[in-house]
Coordinates of all heavy atoms in Angstrom, one line a residue:
Y3 N 86.5 98.6 56.9 CA 87.2 99.8 57.1 C 86.8 100.9 56.1 O 86.7 100.6 54.9 CB 88.7 99.6 57.0 CG 89.3 98.8 58.1 CD1 89.5 97.4 58.0 CD2 89.6 99.4 59.3 CE1 90.0 96.7 59.0 CE2 90.1 98.6 60.4 CZ 90.3 97.3 60.2 OH 90.8 96.5 61.2
L4 N 86.6 102.1 56.5 CA 86.1 103.1 55.6 C 87.1 104.3 55.7 O 87.6 104.6 56.8 CB 84.7 103.6 56.1 CG 83.6 102.6 56.2 CD1 82.4 103.2 56.8 CD2 83.4 101.9 54.9
L5 N 87.2 105.0 54.6 CA 88.0 106.2 54.6 C 87.1 107.3 53.9 O 86.3 107.0 53.0 CB 89.2 106.1 53.7 CG 90.4 105.5 54.3 CD1 91.5 105.4 53.3 CD2 90.9 106.4 55.4
L6 N 87.2 108.5 54.4 CA 86.5 109.6 53.7 C 87.5 110.4 52.9 O 88.5 110.7 53.4 CB 85.8 110.5 54.8 CG 84.6 109.8 55.5 CD1 84.1 110.7 56.6 CD2 83.5 109.4 54.6
S7 N 87.1 110.7 51.7 CA 88.0 111.5 50.9 C 87.8 113.0 51.2 O 87.0 113.4 52.0 CB 87.7 111.2 49.4 OG 86.5 111.8 49.0
Q8 N 88.5 113.8 50.4 CA 88.3 115.2 50.5 C 86.9 115.7 50.2 O 86.2 115.0 49.5 CB 89.3 115.9 49.6 CG 90.7 115.7 49.8 CD 91.6 116.3 48.8 OE1 91.1 116.9 47.8 NE2 92.9 116.2 49.0
R9 N 86.5 116.7 50.8 CA 85.2 117.3 50.5 C 85.1 117.7 49.1 O 86.0 118.3 48.6 CB 84.9 118.4 51.5 CG 84.7 118.0 52.9 CD 84.3 119.1 53.7 NE 82.8 119.3 53.6 CZ 82.1 119.9 54.4 NH1 82.6 120.5 55.4 NH2 80.8 120.0 54.2
N10 N 84.0 117.4 48.5 CA 83.8 117.9 47.1 C 82.4 118.4 47.0 O 81.4 117.6 47.2 CB 84.0 116.7 46.2 CG 84.0 117.1 44.7 OD1 83.9 118.2 44.4 ND2 84.0 116.1 43.9
F11 N 82.2 119.7 46.8 CA 80.9 120.3 46.7 C 80.1 120.1 47.9 O 78.9 119.9 47.9 CB 80.2 119.8 45.4 CG 80.9 120.0 44.2 CD1 81.5 119.0 43.5 CD2 81.1 121.3 43.7 CE1 82.2 119.2 42.3 CE2 81.8 121.6 42.5 CZ 82.3 120.5 41.8
G12 N 80.7 120.1 49.1 CA 80.0 120.0 50.4 C 79.7 118.6 50.8 O 79.0 118.4 51.8
F13 N 80.1 117.6 50.0 CA 79.8 116.2 50.4 C 81.1 115.4 50.6 O 82.1 115.7 49.9 CB 78.9 115.5 49.3 CG 77.6 116.1 49.1 CD1 77.4 117.1 48.1 CD2 76.5 115.7 49.9 CE1 76.1 117.6 47.9 CE2 75.3 116.3 49.7 CZ 75.1 117.2 48.7
F14 N 81.0 114.4 51.4 CA 82.1 113.5 51.6 C 81.9 112.3 50.6 O 80.8 111.8 50.5 CB 82.3 113.0 53.0 CG 82.9 114.0 53.9 CD1 82.1 114.8 54.8 CD2 84.3 114.2 53.9 CE1 82.7 115.7 55.7 CE2 84.9 115.1 54.8 CZ 84.1 115.8 55.7
H15 N 83.0 111.9 50.0 CA 82.9 110.7 49.2 C 83.4 109.5 50.1 O 84.5 109.6 50.7 CB 83.7 110.8 47.9 CG 83.2 111.8 47.0 ND1 82.2 111.5 46.1 CD2 83.5 113.1 46.8 CE1 81.9 112.6 45.4 NE2 82.7 113.6 45.8
L16 N 82.7 108.4 50.1 CA 83.1 107.3 50.9 C 84.0 106.4 50.0 O 83.7 106.0 48.9 CB 81.8 106.5 51.2 CG 81.9 105.5 52.4 CD1 82.4 106.2 53.6 CD2 80.5 105.0 52.6
L17 N 85.1 106.1 50.6 CA 86.1 105.2 49.9 C 86.3 103.9 50.7 O 86.7 103.9 51.8 CB 87.5 105.9 49.8 CG 87.5 107.3 49.2 CD1 88.9 107.8 49.2 CD2 87.0 107.2 47.7
F18 N 85.9 102.8 50.2 CA 86.1 101.5 50.8 C 87.5 101.0 50.4 O 87.8 100.9 49.2 CB 85.1 100.5 50.3 CG 83.7 100.6 51.0 CD1 82.8 101.5 50.4 CD2 83.4 99.9 52.1 CE1 81.6 101.6 51.0 CE2 82.1 100.0 52.6 CZ 81.2 100.9 52.1
M19 N 88.3 100.7 51.4 CA 89.6 100.2 51.1 C 89.7 98.7 51.4 O 90.3 98.0 50.6 CB 90.7 101.0 51.9 CG 90.7 102.5 51.7 SD 91.4 102.9 50.1 CE 93.1 102.4 50.3
H20 N 89.1 98.3 52.5 CA 89.3 96.9 53.0 C 87.9 96.4 53.5 O 87.3 97.1 54.3 CB 90.3 96.8 54.1 CG 91.6 97.5 53.8 ND1 92.5 96.9 52.9 CD2 92.1 98.6 54.2 CE1 93.6 97.7 52.8 NE2 93.3 98.8 53.6
I21 N 87.5 95.2 53.0 CA 86.3 94.6 53.5 C 86.8 93.3 54.2 O 87.3 92.4 53.5 CB 85.3 94.4 52.4 CG1 84.8 95.7 51.9 CG2 84.1 93.5 53.0 CD1 83.8 95.6 50.7
F22 N 86.6 93.2 55.5 CA 86.9 92.0 56.3 C 85.6 91.5 56.9 O 85.1 92.1 57.8 CB 87.9 92.2 57.4 CG 89.2 92.7 56.9 CD1 89.6 94.0 56.8 CD2 90.2 91.7 56.6 CE1 90.8 94.4 56.4 CE2 91.4 92.1 56.2 CZ 91.8 93.4 56.1
L23 N 85.0 90.4 56.4 CA 83.8 89.9 56.9 C 84.0 88.4 57.1 O 83.3 87.5 56.6 CB 82.6 90.1 56.0 CG 82.2 91.6 55.8 CD1 81.2 91.8 54.7 CD2 81.6 92.1 57.2
K24 N 85.0 88.0 58.0 CA 85.3 86.6 58.2 C 84.4 86.1 59.3 O 84.0 86.7 60.3 CB 86.7 86.6 58.8 CG 87.8 87.0 57.9 CD 89.2 87.1 58.5 CE 89.9 85.8 58.3 NZ 91.3 86.0 58.8
G25 N 83.9 84.8 59.0 CA 83.1 84.1 59.9 C 81.8 84.8 60.4 O 81.5 84.8 61.5
Q26 N 81.1 85.4 59.4 CA 79.9 86.2 59.8 C 78.7 85.4 59.4 O 77.6 86.0 59.4 CB 79.9 87.5 59.0 CG 81.1 88.4 59.5 CD 81.0 88.8 60.9 OE1 80.0 89.3 61.4 NE2 82.1 88.5 61.7
D27 N 78.8 84.1 59.0 CA 77.6 83.3 58.6 C 76.8 83.9 57.5 O 75.6 83.8 57.4 CB 76.7 83.1 59.8 CG 77.3 82.2 60.9 OD1 78.3 81.4 60.6 OD2 76.9 82.3 62.1
L28 N 77.5 84.6 56.6 CA 76.9 85.2 55.4 C 76.5 84.1 54.4 O 77.3 83.2 54.2 CB 77.8 86.2 54.7 CG 78.4 87.4 55.5 CD1 79.4 88.1 54.7 CD2 77.2 88.3 55.9
D29 N 75.3 84.2 53.9 CA 74.9 83.3 52.8 C 74.6 84.1 51.6 O 74.6 85.4 51.6 CB 73.8 82.4 53.2 CG 72.5 83.1 53.6 OD1 72.5 84.4 53.5 OD2 71.6 82.5 54.1
G30 N 74.2 83.4 50.5 CA 73.9 84.1 49.3 C 75.1 84.1 48.3 O 76.0 83.3 48.5
V31 N 75.1 85.0 47.3 CA 76.2 85.0 46.3 C 77.1 86.2 46.6 O 76.7 87.2 47.2 CB 75.6 85.0 44.9 CG1 74.8 83.8 44.6 CG2 74.8 86.2 44.7
L32 N 78.3 86.2 46.0 CA 79.2 87.3 46.0 C 78.6 88.5 45.2 O 78.2 88.3 44.1 CB 80.5 86.9 45.5 CG 81.3 85.8 46.3 CD1 82.5 85.4 45.5 CD2 81.7 86.4 47.7
P33 N 78.6 89.7 45.8 CA 77.9 90.8 45.1 C 78.8 91.4 44.0 O 79.9 91.8 44.2 CB 77.7 91.8 46.2 CG 78.7 91.5 47.2 CD 79.0 90.0 47.1
P34 N 78.3 91.4 42.7 CA 79.0 92.0 41.6 C 79.3 93.5 41.9 O 80.3 94.0 41.4 CB 78.1 91.8 40.4 CG 77.2 90.7 40.8 CD 77.0 90.8 42.3
S35 N 78.4 94.1 42.6 CA 78.6 95.6 42.9 C 79.8 96.0 43.6 O 80.2 97.2 43.6 CB 77.3 96.1 43.6 OG 77.2 95.4 44.8
L36 N 80.5 95.1 44.2 CA 81.8 95.5 44.9 C 82.8 96.0 43.9 O 83.7 96.8 44.2 CB 82.4 94.3 45.6 CG 81.7 93.8 46.9 CD1 82.4 92.7 47.6 CD2 81.5 95.0 47.9
A37 N 82.6 95.6 42.6 CA 83.5 96.1 41.6 C 83.3 97.6 41.4 O 84.2 98.3 40.7 CB 83.3 95.4 40.3
K38 N 82.3 98.2 41.9 CA 82.0 99.6 41.7 C 82.8 100.5 42.7 O 82.7 101.7 42.7 CB 80.5 99.9 41.8 CG 79.7 99.3 40.6 CD 78.3 99.6 40.8 CE 77.5 99.0 39.6 NZ 76.1 99.2 39.7
L39 N 83.5 99.8 43.6 CA 84.3 100.5 44.7 C 85.7 100.7 44.1 O 86.5 99.7 44.3 CB 84.2 99.8 46.0 CG 82.8 99.6 46.6 CD1 82.9 98.6 47.8 CD2 82.2 100.9 47.0
P40 N 86.1 101.8 43.5 CA 87.3 101.9 42.8 C 88.6 101.8 43.7 O 89.7 101.5 43.2 CB 87.3 103.3 42.1 CG 86.3 104.1 43.0 CD 85.3 103.0 43.5
Y41 N 88.5 102.1 45.0 CA 89.6 102.1 45.9 C 89.7 100.8 46.7 O 90.6 100.7 47.6 CB 89.6 103.3 46.8 CG 89.6 104.6 46.0 CD1 88.5 105.3 45.8 CD2 90.8 105.0 45.4 CE1 88.4 106.5 45.0 CE2 90.8 106.2 44.6 CZ 89.6 106.9 44.5 OH 89.6 108.0 43.7
L42 N 88.9 99.8 46.4 CA 88.9 98.6 47.2 C 90.1 97.8 46.9 O 90.5 97.5 45.7 CB 87.6 97.8 46.8 CG 87.4 96.5 47.6 CD1 87.2 96.8 49.1 CD2 86.2 95.8 47.1
K43 N 90.9 97.4 48.0 CA 92.1 96.7 47.8 C 92.0 95.3 48.4 O 92.8 94.4 48.0 CB 93.3 97.4 48.5 CG 93.5 98.8 47.9 CD 94.0 98.7 46.5 CE 94.3 100.1 46.0 NZ 94.1 100.2 44.6
T44 N 91.2 95.1 49.4 CA 91.1 93.8 50.2 C 89.7 93.4 50.3 O 88.8 94.1 50.7 CB 91.7 94.0 51.6 OG1 93.0 94.4 51.5 CG2 91.6 92.7 52.4
I45 N 89.4 92.1 49.9 CA 88.2 91.4 50.2 C 88.5 90.1 50.9 O 89.2 89.3 50.4 CB 87.4 91.1 48.9 CG1 87.0 92.4 48.2 CG2 86.1 90.3 49.3 CD1 86.3 92.1 46.9
D46 N 88.0 90.0 52.2 CA 88.2 88.8 52.9 C 86.9 88.3 53.4 O 86.3 88.9 54.4 CB 89.2 89.0 54.1 CG 89.6 87.7 54.8 OD1 89.0 86.7 54.5 OD2 90.6 87.8 55.5
L47 N 86.4 87.3 52.8 CA 85.1 86.7 53.1 C 85.2 85.3 53.6 O 84.4 84.4 53.3 CB 84.1 86.8 51.9 CG 83.8 88.3 51.5 CD1 83.1 88.3 50.1 CD2 83.0 89.0 52.5
T48 N 86.3 85.0 54.3 CA 86.6 83.7 54.8 C 85.6 83.2 55.7 O 85.0 84.0 56.5 CB 88.0 83.7 55.5 OG1 89.0 84.1 54.5 CG2 88.4 82.4 56.1
R49 N 85.3 81.9 55.7 CA 84.4 81.2 56.6 C 83.0 81.7 56.7 O 82.5 82.2 57.7 CB 85.0 81.1 58.0 CG 86.3 80.3 58.1 CD 86.7 80.1 59.6 NE 86.7 81.2 60.4 CZ 87.7 82.1 60.5 NH1 88.8 81.9 59.8 NH2 87.6 83.1 61.3
N50 N 82.3 81.6 55.5 CA 80.9 82.0 55.4 C 80.2 80.9 54.7 O 80.7 79.8 54.6 CB 80.8 83.4 54.7 CG 81.2 84.5 55.7 OD1 80.5 84.8 56.6 ND2 82.3 85.2 55.4
Y51 N 79.0 81.2 54.2 CA 78.2 80.2 53.5 C 77.9 80.7 52.1 O 76.8 80.4 51.6 CB 77.0 79.8 54.3 CG 77.3 79.2 55.6 CD1 77.3 80.0 56.8 CD2 77.6 77.9 55.7 CE1 77.6 79.5 58.0 CE2 77.9 77.3 57.0 CZ 77.9 78.1 58.1 OH 78.2 77.6 59.3
L52 N 78.8 81.3 51.4 CA 78.5 81.9 50.1 C 78.6 80.9 49.0 O 79.4 80.0 49.1 CB 79.6 83.0 49.9 CG 79.6 84.1 50.9 CD1 80.8 85.0 50.8 CD2 78.3 85.0 50.8
T53 N 77.7 81.0 48.1 CA 77.5 80.1 47.0 C 77.7 80.8 45.6 O 77.9 82.0 45.6 CB 76.1 79.4 47.0 OG1 75.1 80.4 46.9 CG2 75.9 78.6 48.3
G54 N 77.6 80.0 44.6 CA 77.8 80.6 43.2 C 79.3 80.6 42.9 O 80.0 79.7 43.3
T55 N 79.7 81.6 42.2 CA 81.1 81.8 41.8 C 81.5 83.2 42.0 O 80.8 84.1 42.5 CB 81.3 81.3 40.4 OG1 82.7 81.2 40.1 CG2 80.7 82.3 39.4
I56 N 82.7 83.5 41.7 CA 83.3 84.9 41.8 C 82.7 85.7 40.6 O 82.9 85.3 39.4 CB 84.8 84.9 41.8 CG1 85.2 84.1 43.1 CG2 85.3 86.3 41.8 CD1 86.7 83.8 43.1
P57 N 82.1 86.8 40.8 CA 81.4 87.6 39.7 C 82.5 88.1 38.7 O 83.5 88.5 39.0 CB 80.8 88.7 40.4 CG 80.7 88.4 41.9 CD 81.8 87.5 42.1
P58 N 82.1 88.0 37.4 CA 83.0 88.5 36.4 C 83.3 90.0 36.5 O 84.4 90.5 36.1 CB 82.2 88.3 35.1 CG 80.9 87.7 35.4 CD 80.9 87.4 36.9
E59 N 82.4 90.8 37.2 CA 82.6 92.2 37.4 C 83.9 92.5 38.2 O 84.5 93.5 38.1 CB 81.4 92.8 38.0 CG 80.2 92.9 37.2 CD 79.4 91.6 37.2 OE1 79.8 90.6 37.8 OE2 78.3 91.6 36.5
W60 N 84.3 91.5 39.1 CA 85.4 91.7 39.9 C 86.7 91.7 39.1 O 87.8 92.2 39.6 CB 85.5 90.6 41.0 CG 84.5 90.7 42.1 CD1 83.3 91.4 42.0 CD2 84.5 90.1 43.3 NE1 82.6 91.2 43.2 CE2 83.3 90.4 44.0 CE3 85.4 89.2 44.0 CZ2 83.0 90.0 45.3 CZ3 85.1 88.7 45.2 CH2 83.9 89.1 45.9
A61 N 86.7 91.2 37.9 CA 87.9 91.2 37.0 C 88.4 92.6 36.8 O 89.6 92.8 36.4 CB 87.6 90.5 35.7
S62 N 87.6 93.6 36.9 CA 88.0 95.0 36.6 C 88.5 95.7 37.9 O 88.9 96.9 37.8 CB 86.8 95.8 36.1 OG 85.8 95.9 37.1
T63 N 88.6 95.0 39.0 CA 89.0 95.7 40.2 C 90.6 95.8 40.3 O 91.3 95.2 39.5 CB 88.6 94.9 41.5 OG1 89.2 93.6 41.5 CG2 87.1 94.8 41.5
K64 N 91.0 96.5 41.3 CA 92.5 96.6 41.5 C 92.8 96.0 42.9 O 93.6 96.5 43.6 CB 92.9 98.1 41.6 CG 92.6 98.9 40.3 CD 93.5 98.4 39.2 CE 93.2 99.2 37.9 NZ 93.5 98.6 36.7
L65 N 92.2 94.9 43.1 CA 92.4 94.1 44.4 C 93.9 93.7 44.5 O 94.5 93.3 43.6 CB 91.5 92.9 44.5 CG 90.0 93.1 44.7 CD1 89.3 91.8 44.5 CD2 89.8 93.7 46.0
K66 N 94.3 93.7 45.8 CA 95.6 93.1 46.1 C 95.5 91.9 46.9 O 96.3 91.0 46.9 CB 96.5 94.1 46.9 CG 96.9 95.3 46.1 CD 97.9 96.2 46.9 CE 98.4 97.3 45.9 NZ 99.7 97.7 46.3
F67 N 94.4 91.7 47.6 CA 94.1 90.6 48.5 C 92.7 90.1 48.3 O 91.7 90.9 48.4 CB 94.3 91.1 50.0 CG 94.2 90.0 51.0 CD1 95.3 89.4 51.6 CD2 92.9 89.5 51.4 CE1 95.2 88.4 52.5 CE2 92.8 88.5 52.4 CZ 93.9 88.0 52.9

Side-chain angles (χ1 to χ4, degrees):
Y3 291 98
L4 307 175
L5 277 177
L6 293 175
S7 72
Q8 297 176 356
R9 289 184 84 160
N10 188 8
F11 302 110
F13 295 97
F14 282 101
H15 293 277
L16 198 56
L17 306 177
F18 284 85
M19 299 289 291
H20 309 283
I21 296 177
F22 296 95
L23 293 169
K24 293 171 98 171
Q26 297 298 305
D27 295 333
L28 300 174
D29 60 5
V31 298
L32 296 171
S35 58
L36 289 183
K38 294 180 181 179
L39 300 171
Y41 301 102
L42 187 61
K43 300 294 181 210
T44 301
I45 296 176
D46 191 344
L47 297 169
T48 299
R49 292 189 316 272
N50 284 290
Y51 298 98
L52 300 167
T53 58
T55 192
I56 298 169
E59 291 83 356
W60 289 19
S62 66
T63 67
K64 302 292 184 203
L65 288 173
K66 290 187 175 211
F67 184 100

